[in-house]
């Protein structure tokens, strides 16, 4: 597809390598081409992604100091490319590294059973407290605290100790201890994923009713929410050597930003990609590791317990009058607040 004649001039595909730091700061003074830090991306992130996929599938972002990769096929392939290594400078969030802790082991089923019991109790306590409110914020008062509270209860720590990152002291041993630590370490991303799931469901009362009343509906909604609104939008890498993709070449040593958020809405991979459709065949989300990854299973378990508790404690849950959720964040994104009326 030809580039928009009003779009900035596309930079060459083989610039000299740049690093996070002084070089990137200097480049920010005179940006060339589209930038993830520019006003277009801030104003309309998904519109900016669309422009990248259509006209700049591989482009050097001078302000960010990295090459942007935006199409599903390129991003999906690059996530597992051993030639792209984790960047040691600048922030980095890769779904595989962030979530997957290795294959299942003997005893995992018992550990997940214990963690489920703890997670269910924690979710119901939080939901029942909020049910007494006239207006509540599900992001700050539920999604944030569910993974932290689950880990605290499983490890025998107070909420304050867990919030401070404590892992010692009165920590319990037991089959669920390692999973509880995993839940605590990933609590921020689990909370963001939960917030996006609830936003998608509350925006569509028929889907909320489906996950409440239909067995198996929640798993499909969870996978579709991870595709449409992944908690991790940008994965940073560095090229070991010259890397060819999207009809271009990334030079050795260059930083690479894999745009999971853009790939997840690629119309060449998904029909009506901006729509939330839990009945979509094979959503192929890139947000987490493989389905049997322990951390991905912990996150889905938290989602199941969260929705079940909210449905039971707040059967008439709905948005506060006039409220509309909106995402914020650069590398990770989710609604900052979810104002609801419990009854």
């Amino acid at each position: 597809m030809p580039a928009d004649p009003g779009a900035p001039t596309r930079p060459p595909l083989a610039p000299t390598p740049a690093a996070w730091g002084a070089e990137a700061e200097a480049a920010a003074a005179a940006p060339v081409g589209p930038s993830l830090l520019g006003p277009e991306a801030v104003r309309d992130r998904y519109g900016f992604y669309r422009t990248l996929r259509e006209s700049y599938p591989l482009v050097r972002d001078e302000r960010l100091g990295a090459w942007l990769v935006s199409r599903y096929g390129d991003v999906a392939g690059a996530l597992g490319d051993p030639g792209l290594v984790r960047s040691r400078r600048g922030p980095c969030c890769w779904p595989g590294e962030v979530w997957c802790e290795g294959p299942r082991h003997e005893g995992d089923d018992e550990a997940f059973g214990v963690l489920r019991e703890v997670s269910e109790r924690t979710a119901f306590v939080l939901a029942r407290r909020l049910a007494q409110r006239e207006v509540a914020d599900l992001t700050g008062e539920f999604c944030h605290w569910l993974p932290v509270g689950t880990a605290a209860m499983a490890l025998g720590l107070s909420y304050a100790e867990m919030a401070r990152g404590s892992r010692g002291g009165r920590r319990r041993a037991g089959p669920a201890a390692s999973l509880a630590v995993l839940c605590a370490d990933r609590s921020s991303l689990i909370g963001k994923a939960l917030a996006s799931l609830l936003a998608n469901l509350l925006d569509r009362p028929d889907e909320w009713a489906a996950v409440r009343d239909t067995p198996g509906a929640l798993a499909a909604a969870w996978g579709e929410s991870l595709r449409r609104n992944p908690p991790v939008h940008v994965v940073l890498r560095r090229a070991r050597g010259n890397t060819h993709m999207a009809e271009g070449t990334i030079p050795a040593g260059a930083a690479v930003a894999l745009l999971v958020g853009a790939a997840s809405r690629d119309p060449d991979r998904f029909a009506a990609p901006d729509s939330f459709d839990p009945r979509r065949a094979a959503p192929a989300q890139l947000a987490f590791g493989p389905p049997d990854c322990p951390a991905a299973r912990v996150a889905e378990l938290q989602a199941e317990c969260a929705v079940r508790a909210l449905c039971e404690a707040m059967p008439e849950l709905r948005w506060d009058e006039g409220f509309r959720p909106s995402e914020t964040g650069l590398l990770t994104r989710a609604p900052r607040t979810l104002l609801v009326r419990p009854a």
Side-chain angles (χ1 to χ4, degrees):
M1 181 178 294
D4 181 350
T9 302
R10 183 174 180 177
L13 290 178
T16 58
W20 296 92
E23 294 156 347
E25 292 174 3
V32 177
S35 174
L36 195 62
L37 303 178
E40 296 85 358
V42 174
R43 181 173 57 251
D44 179 6
R45 175 66 74 90
Y46 292 103
F48 175 74
Y49 286 160
R50 187 180 308 112
T51 298
L52 290 180
R53 289 191 306 265
E54 293 176 352
S55 303
Y56 303 90
L58 178 66
V59 64
R60 165 78 181 173
D61 184 333
E62 297 294 346
R63 292 185 64 179
L64 188 66
W67 290 75
L68 305 182
V69 183
S70 53
R71 291 178 178 171
Y72 183 91
D74 296 326
V75 173
L79 283 172
D81 187 346
L84 296 175
V85 297
R86 179 170 177 171
S87 176
R88 298 299 179 184
R89 303 179 65 179
C92 180
C93 292
W94 176 46
E97 288 178 346
V98 170
W99 292 97
C100 193
E101 300 295 322
R104 296 181 58 178
H105 300 287
E106 185 176 353
D108 278 358
D109 289 341
E110 179 187 0
F112 275 100
V114 173
L115 191 70
R116 179 180 295 278
E117 292 177 5
V118 175
S119 184
E120 287 175 346
R121 289 199 300 271
T122 305
F124 278 109
V125 167
L126 293 172
R128 285 167 181 160
R129 287 177 180 172
L130 296 183
Q132 309 304 315
R133 306 275 191 85
E134 181 177 352
V135 176
D137 174 15
L138 290 182
T139 296
E141 299 176 282
F142 186 85
C143 297
H144 168 74
W145 283 109
L146 178 57
V148 176
T150 297
M153 184 179 293
L155 294 173
L157 300 172
S158 68
Y159 279 81
E161 288 172 321
M162 186 58 64
R164 290 195 302 268
S166 173
R167 300 290 184 272
R170 297 183 293 109
R171 173 176 164 179
R172 293 177 184 151
S178 61
L179 293 180
V181 171
L182 187 62
C183 187
D185 289 343
R186 310 303 191 257
S187 61
S188 177
L189 290 180
I190 292 175
K192 290 178 185 294
L194 284 177
S196 292
L197 171 66
L198 295 177
N200 280 318
L201 292 175
L202 288 171
D203 261 352
R204 302 159 183 82
D206 56 331
E207 300 297 352
W208 182 257
V211 300
R212 182 189 62 212
D213 302 331
T214 307
L218 178 58
W222 172 246
E224 174 67 350
S225 184
L226 292 178
R227 179 205 66 81
R228 184 178 185 268
N229 302 94
V232 177
H233 270 235
V234 182
V235 172
L236 298 178
R237 282 286 184 271
R238 190 166 296 281
R240 288 182 183 272
N242 290 344
T243 303
H244 304 282
M245 67 171 64
E247 301 179 359
T249 300
I250 299 171
V256 184
L258 305 176
L259 304 184
V260 172
S264 295
R265 297 201 186 190
D266 189 338
D268 288 339
R269 176 60 181 81
F270 306 104
D274 294 332
S275 300
F276 178 74
D277 180 10
R279 281 156 290 284
R280 184 186 303 276
Q285 56 84 17
L286 299 173
F288 292 170
D292 63 346
C293 167
R297 292 179 66 199
V298 166
E300 184 169 5
L301 182 153
Q302 293 273 284
E304 293 172 4
C305 295
V307 171
R308 186 178 299 113
L310 291 173
C311 286
E312 181 170 318
M314 311 176 198
E316 299 179 10
L317 183 67
R318 63 191 186 279
W319 291 129
D320 187 27
E321 185 176 354
F323 175 78
R324 294 295 307 147
S326 61
E327 291 183 344
T328 61
L330 178 63
L331 300 187
T332 62
R333 288 178 68 83
R336 179 173 295 177
T337 58
L338 296 175
L339 298 183
V340 296
R341 289 185 175 268

